[in-house]
Amino acid sequence: MPQTASAFADVAASDAALRRFLHGLPGVDAVGLQARAATLATRSVKTTAKAHAIDLAISMVDLTTLEGADTPGKVRSLCAKGRVPDPADRSVPQVAAVCVYPDMVPVARRAVAGTGIKVASVATAFPSGRAALPVKLADTRDAVAAGADEIDMVIDRGAFLAGRYLQVYEEIRAVRQECARPGSAPDAHLKVIFENGELATYDNVRRASWLAMLAGADFIKTSTGKVAVNATLPNTLVMLEAVRDFRAATGTRVGVKPAGGIRTTKDAVRYLVLVNETLGADWLSPDRFRFGASSLLNDLLMQRQKLSSGRYSGPDYVTVD
């Protein structure tokens, strides 16, 4: 029988106990992992199945703008694109969420009102995570108070790489508490970003996955999209396998969000195959899997148009975010 997540509470009783648990996880066979990811990437998806995969991928997109030059107008334009990705074809599904900086949450909230599209906000000194905990908690609190449905936090990679696992665990727990809303309103979902490109090893990605899930993450996320190495099929596969094992151990279902560097329909389909083969059809839903992307949506739309018309339209035939 699966245990509840609380049955693992004793592993976070001390830094030493948490370290023993995380370093006691099975090591990742890097060669085997990369070979499996490469094999699954060769799976082909044709015709009707491809059309379904494209629409599914569109419905899983967290349409993102995280630039210092973001303006209310740019955010409203992004939200309009998320609501109606292809103005010439209203059968295209809307995206799962729009992801913005905390100060843009009210703008996005108004722009997607009544659509069911979620408003995600990065927080905790994104993308570096280099701030004192009170600052990170205030960042989260402000975003939640402004109406964010989801919080994308970054872990302190310096603390993690130095082996201060309990500090990272307690920080995630504290941010989790700031996601709570008063009264009967649903809490904001928490996505925990690892920045896999900085974690250096697959073993560290597995440890970070378990650490975040034990601390209460609703989603685990590969990266910020702001470093050289972001989402890859192998590091996402490590996270999917950790989610599979965590569900087997606790019965708790945690979502996964690869982000950064996913730009083409072919890329998106490869990730969907990875999810289906590792976690099954239950995870092929925006509630369990997301793509963090800014440019992916346009390629999905162009490939969708090609399937329906037989012609490749090109980028001039899709709207600019």
Side-chain angles (χ1 to χ4, degrees):
M1 289 288 291
Q3 306 175 65
T4 61
S6 61
F8 286 94
D10 59 331
V11 307
S14 68
D15 216 352
L18 190 53
R19 185 178 299 107
R20 280 195 302 272
F21 176 82
L22 294 176
H23 283 265
L25 294 169
V28 178
D29 174 3
V31 173
L33 175 83
Q34 291 168 352
R36 177 163 173 74
T39 297
L40 292 174
T42 64
R43 298 277 180 89
S44 61
V45 178
K46 303 294 185 183
T47 57
T48 304
K50 185 174 182 180
H52 173 70
I54 288 172
D55 278 2
L56 182 60
I58 291 171
S59 76
M60 292 173 165
V61 168
D62 281 6
L63 196 57
T64 302
T65 184
L66 295 169
E67 302 297 335
D70 285 344
T71 63
K74 183 178 180 182
V75 170
R76 284 191 290 268
S77 176
L78 187 83
C79 292
K81 178 72 168 282
R83 292 196 314 268
V84 186
D86 185 350
D89 185 353
R90 294 305 181 102
S91 70
V92 178
Q94 64 186 22
V95 302
V98 291
C99 185
V100 296
Y101 275 115
D103 63 313
M104 291 294 172
V105 168
V107 176
R109 185 83 180 173
R110 289 190 294 270
V112 300
T115 66
I117 295 174
K118 305 297 184 184
V119 176
S121 173
V122 296
T124 65
F126 176 95
S128 70
R130 309 307 305 176
L133 181 58
V135 174
K136 294 180 180 182
L137 298 182
D139 198 22
T140 305
R141 194 179 307 124
D142 288 349
V144 173
D149 300 297
E150 301 171 354
I151 296 295
D152 289 33
M153 72 164 287
V154 287
I155 66 168
D156 184 334
R157 281 88 74 192
F160 181 90
L161 291 169
R164 300 197 304 272
Y165 300 130
L166 188 61
Q167 177 183 330
V168 179
Y169 173 90
E170 290 178 341
E171 186 171 286
I172 296 170
R173 295 285 294 175
V175 174
R176 166 83 271 170
Q177 291 176 357
E178 294 297 338
C179 290
R181 299 188 199 273
S184 58
D187 293 350
H189 280 197
L190 178 63
K191 306 193 197 90
V192 178
I193 309 170
F194 303 148
E195 202 67 286
N196 286 346
E198 295 181 348
L199 295 189
T201 69
Y202 295 130
D203 285 340
N204 276 341
V205 174
R206 175 169 285 175
R207 291 170 189 146
S209 298
W210 271 87
L211 180 62
M213 292 187 291
L214 289 169
D218 295 300
F219 266 75
I220 53 177
K221 179 177 171 182
T222 62
S223 32
T224 63
K226 302 295 186 180
V227 298
V229 178
N230 292 288
T232 68
L233 288 171
N235 66 38
T236 304
L237 180 55
V238 173
M239 294 167 62
L240 293 169
E241 290 176 344
V243 166
R244 177 198 63 199
D245 296 343
F246 190 74
R247 176 188 57 176
T250 69
T252 301
R253 300 181 179 207
V254 176
V256 179
K257 178 180 173 180
I262 305 171
R263 298 184 176 89
T264 69
T265 299
K266 185 177 291 186
D267 290 337
V269 170
R270 286 169 174 162
Y271 280 92
L272 294 179
V273 170
L274 211 65
V275 172
N276 188 60
E277 292 297 319
T278 308
L279 287 166
D282 286 353
W283 261 259
L284 292 175
S285 159
D287 293 334
R288 296 278 178 263
F289 192 77
R290 300 279 184 85
F291 292 106
S294 54
S295 59
L296 172 63
L297 180 57
N298 277 359
D299 193 72
L300 289 166
L301 293 173
M302 287 188 288
Q303 294 300 327
R304 194 180 193 276
Q305 291 168 3
K306 182 181 178 183
L307 281 180
S308 62
S309 69
R311 299 185 304 276
Y312 187 77
S313 299
D316 291 340
Y317 288 82
V318 292
T319 60
V320 177
D321 300 344

